[in-house]
Amino acid sequence: MSNHRADVYGLSEAELAEVCLDAGLPAFRARQVFEWAQGRAVTEWAEMKNIGAADRDALAARLALKPPEPVRESAAPDGTRKFLFRLEDGETIETVLMDYHKDRSRSRATVCLSVQAGCAVGCPFCATGRMGFRRDLSAGEITGQLLALTARMRRLDADFHVSNAVFMGMGEPFYNMTPFLKAARLLNEARGQNIGMRRMTVSTSGVVPGILRLAAENTQIGLAVSLHAGTDELRDKIVPLNRKYPLAALMAACGEYVRLTGRRVTFEIALTRENTTETQARAVAALLRGMPAHVNLIPINAVAGSTAERPSPAKAAAFRQELARRGLTVTVREEKGGDIEAACGQLQAGF
Ligand code: SF4
């Protein structure tokens, strides 16, 4: 029976109000539950101090307050922490905390959220892709990662607060669009975590209908596209989804996102020997010409079983210079968490 109770972490205040109405409880209880669960990240009904025991019991009979259970945690010296969470049905997912340093107070803490257990896209360089697809996560399981992590971190630092959320963990967000969007909106709520939409970024392997939907929703969530190559021939090999949504369609959708949101797009390129040639630099520059774009180069991480090889430092530098010379804004992603396997393409629900 407990399986049929709606997950508190996935409900808006209006949805909670319906539950309260159904339970014969005053409507203001909905706001209180929302503030406790989404805003203060409590994980137990008993922590909701301004709700009497009888009302808490009535709510608990209708609603599940079941945060993802942290079963393992590892911390790297650079502040990166990786959490393995177990979901109600036993599936495990990973969530990563980055850019967090207690001595820098709470000004910045970025959480990388998973949206699916496993992933169906199967990018060859990605550990998650090699797991295969397990299942979609619900909105409550997506917000729940951030809330459970916050509850855990507040035991170490009472002021802990997440400032930025990136949907870049396990899974393809645009293959789980509705729960992803709902989770983003819940995290954005002023009475919830109050994370600005402009402080959220969603990363896609290039699902064109998803990019168009995000553009149409005009949420101001940032868009990052895993580009990885400037030609269809090479991108077909690195991102299998390119065969379904080739570069011309991908670029047209990104153009639509820019037109409707006024935001620039981040294009990610994981540096390998194959995609750092001068031909590829020229092709990438031609693709992005005239588009408000930012290119983020990612030093590829060693994943067991991956066939991609890193370019030499000189080749990587030459590639970067060539893109910049052609007028693109280029940054190199800082390598964080590599030693605990929490970097992009390394999440695989095991430590
Ligand atoms: S890189 Fe992203 S889209 Fe590709 S297999 Fe990994 S999780 Fe899926």
Side-chain angles (χ1 to χ4, degrees), residues 15-299:
E15 288 166 329
L16 287 168
E18 281 173 36
V19 176
C20 288
L21 188 70
D22 182 54
L25 299 177
F28 66 83
R29 289 284 185 235
R31 175 177 295 191
Q32 290 173 325
V33 172
F34 191 86
E35 281 173 348
W36 283 113
Q38 295 286 343
R40 301 174 75 165
V42 303
T43 54
E44 306 280 347
W45 289 107
E47 292 177 86
M48 301 187 188
K49 302 281 185 220
N50 56 359
I51 304 178
D55 284 7
R56 288 202 306 256
D57 289 348
L59 289 162
R62 289 168 171 80
L63 296 168
L65 182 58
K66 267 199 161 264
E69 185 194 346
V71 287
R72 225 170 299 163
E73 181 181 333
S74 58
D78 67 6
T80 303
R81 267 172 200 262
K82 190 167 77 159
F83 296 82
L84 182 72
F85 285 115
R86 183 163 37 222
L87 305 174
E88 207 178 356
D89 63 354
E91 285 294 346
T92 50
I93 51 167
E94 292 185 8
T95 309
V96 183
L97 170 63
M98 301 168 291
D99 297 345
Y100 167 65
H101 295 279
K102 190 167 165 39
D103 55 10
R104 277 205 270 139
S105 82
R106 53 183 165 146
S107 57
R108 196 177 157 91
T110 299
V111 166
C112 177
L113 299 167
S114 290
V115 290
Q116 296 177 315
C119 182
V121 177
C123 302
F125 59 87
C126 173
T128 305
R130 278 201 301 280
M131 278 175 67
F133 176 69
R134 310 277 303 173
R135 71 167 172 86
D136 286 331
L137 302 190
S138 67
E141 287 171 334
I142 300 172
T143 60
Q145 296 164 59
L146 190 147
L147 297 169
L149 180 152
T150 297
R152 158 79 189 114
M153 292 304 293
R154 283 190 180 160
R155 275 186 244 136
L156 307 174
D157 171 5
D159 291 331
F160 178 84
H161 179 75
V162 174
S163 60
N164 297 59
V166 296
F167 299 88
M168 293 187 180
M170 295 169 73
E172 165 54 63
F174 293 164
Y175 279 162
N176 191 23
M177 191 78 191
T178 302
F180 146 66
L181 275 174
K182 186 170 190 192
R185 290 195 165 108
L186 289 171
L187 295 173
N188 176 240
E189 281 294 325
R191 275 192 280 274
Q193 288 292 301
N194 197 18
I195 301 173
M197 287 291 192
R198 296 179 76 93
R199 290 179 178 270
M200 298 187 207
T201 301
V202 61
S203 176
T204 180
S205 55
V207 180
V208 163
I211 296 172
L212 294 173
R213 165 118 185 249
L214 184 73
E217 300 266 343
N218 200 357
T219 58
Q220 290 296 303
I221 296 173
L223 174 66
V225 174
S226 300
L227 185 64
H228 300 319
T231 58
D232 280 321
E233 194 193 359
L234 181 56
R235 195 163 186 272
D236 278 352
K237 285 199 245 165
I238 305 178
V239 186
L241 203 65
N242 195 66
R243 291 178 214 130
K244 189 164 184 190
Y245 303 114
L247 285 167
L250 178 61
M251 288 304 135
C254 291
E256 193 63 2
Y257 172 87
V258 170
R259 190 178 73 77
L260 290 172
T261 65
R263 299 206 66 185
R264 69 179 183 175
V265 179
T266 297
F267 291 93
E268 317 254 25
I269 300 177
L271 301 174
T272 69
R273 280 197 197 162
E274 268 181 306
N275 67 4
T276 46
T277 61
E278 205 192 320
T279 314
Q280 284 297 318
R282 232 180 287 132
V284 168
L287 269 182
L288 304 186
R289 190 170 296 137
M291 181 180 291
H294 165 226
V295 179
N296 193 22
L297 303 180
I298 308 164

Side-chain angles (χ1 to χ4, degrees), residues 123-130 300-310 338 341 343-348:
C123 302
F125 59 87
C126 173
T128 305
R130 278 201 301 280
I300 199 161
N301 294 290
V303 176
S306 168
T307 51
E309 281 186 74
R310 279 175 180 245
E341 297 202 333
C344 184
Q346 292 190 332
L347 302 187
Q348 58 179 338

